[in-house]
Amino acid sequence: MMSRMSKSKLPNIVILASGNGSNFEAIVNATRKGILNANILRLITNKKCFAEERAKKLGISHTRLKDNWAEELFVLLKELAPDLVVLAGFMKILPSKIVNNFKIVNIHPSLLPAFPGKDAIKQAYEYGVKVTGITIHFVDEGVDTGPIIFQKALEIDGLTLEEVEKEIHKLEHKHYPQVIESILNS
Ligand code: GAR
């Protein structure tokens, strides 16, 4: 009873994903370890993806959007009324109706504004940069644009693409839950 009461006082977040879902899982684990004090209301996906399997395993309720995804998402978010919407590899551009009505945060695997869009780790690697990293930012109507909240750099000289991917994901899993926690407390 006590734990249910305290849970209801936590800020509510909704997570949107389209792919592997490793950031989604890291966020869920952070709530269970007390690193992130938030209640995860729902995982929302826009297609069949491994994030959905993780949701089942972790006991988080899940909704997959259909063809009319933007309208459906808008209605769902209105209904859920989360304190924060967290994009974790959600590969769709959100329409202004959604961006203007909800507080939304995104993570991107490069030092924005360099290498926005898909396959950012590979883009940076193939360009030959010596330093790349991660960016966490508020979401606007652009592709990986919006005010930057947090960045962490990573030196990648001498690493293989696979090693860079591994190191970038490690940084994401460590910092995204912490940054979400600080946004919810600000
Ligand atoms: C993450 O690396 C995230 O930064 C990236 O998608 C990956 C999702 O991984 N997002 C973008 O590229 C946004 N433009 P995950 O499904 O394992 O969390």
Side-chain angles (χ1 to χ4, degrees):
M1 187 64 183
M2 275 308 287
S3 68
R4 187 174 299 167
M5 278 173 69
S6 54
K7 194 178 174 193
S8 69
K9 285 185 196 149
L10 292 174
N12 290 317
I13 65 174
V14 164
I15 303 175
L16 273 62
S18 307
N20 182 24
S22 69
N23 279 283
F24 160 67
E25 181 155 352
I27 294 164
V28 174
N29 288 339
T31 64
R32 293 178 180 174
K33 287 183 192 151
I35 294 165
L36 171 58
N37 296 298
N39 179 34
I40 300 171
L41 291 178
R42 190 80 55 95
L43 170 74
I44 300 175
T45 58
N46 63 306
K47 60 177 186 181
K48 187 171 164 40
C49 59
F50 193 63
E52 297 175 348
E53 302 303 318
R54 294 187 196 255
K56 269 183 225 149
K57 187 188 74 184
L58 293 162
I60 303 288
S61 71
H62 160 245
T63 299
R64 187 190 300 165
L65 303 169
K66 297 176 205 76
D67 288 347
N68 191 16
W69 70 270
E71 186 53 30
E72 193 186 349
L73 179 59
F74 179 72
V75 171
L76 192 55
L77 291 177
K78 276 266 183 212
E79 184 189 310
L80 295 170
D83 297 286
L84 185 68
V85 176
V86 174
L87 306 189
F90 187 68
M91 296 305 192
K92 288 274 191 193
I93 309 300
L94 296 173
S96 52
K97 191 173 164 184
I98 293 179
V99 168
N100 295 334
N101 278 283
F102 300 95
K103 194 171 181 181
I104 310 173
V105 69
N106 182 40
I107 189 160
H108 185 75
S110 75
L111 293 175
L112 289 171
F115 310 112
K118 285 186 184 162
D119 298 324
I121 302 174
K122 196 160 170 245
Q123 284 187 59
Y125 187 83
E126 288 180 352
Y127 193 92
V129 298
K130 305 292 182 205
V131 179
T132 185
I134 63 165
T135 302
I136 297 168
H137 63 96
F138 287 116
V139 171
D140 63 13
E141 288 170 67
V143 177
D144 301 316
T145 55
I148 290 174
I149 305 161
F150 175 90
Q151 291 188 304
K152 190 82 183 174
L154 175 71
E155 290 195 23
I156 62 166
D157 206 8
L159 300 187
T160 64
L161 175 59
E162 291 67 33
E163 286 166 341
V164 177
E165 284 170 345
K166 196 170 161 216
E167 291 306 313
I168 288 279
H169 292 311
K170 256 197 239 167
L171 287 181
E172 291 190 322
H173 301 163
K174 176 178 176 203
H175 292 287
Y176 207 13
Q178 293 174 358
V179 173
I180 294 166
E181 172 73 5
S182 68
I183 294 168
L184 292 172
N185 287 316
S186 65

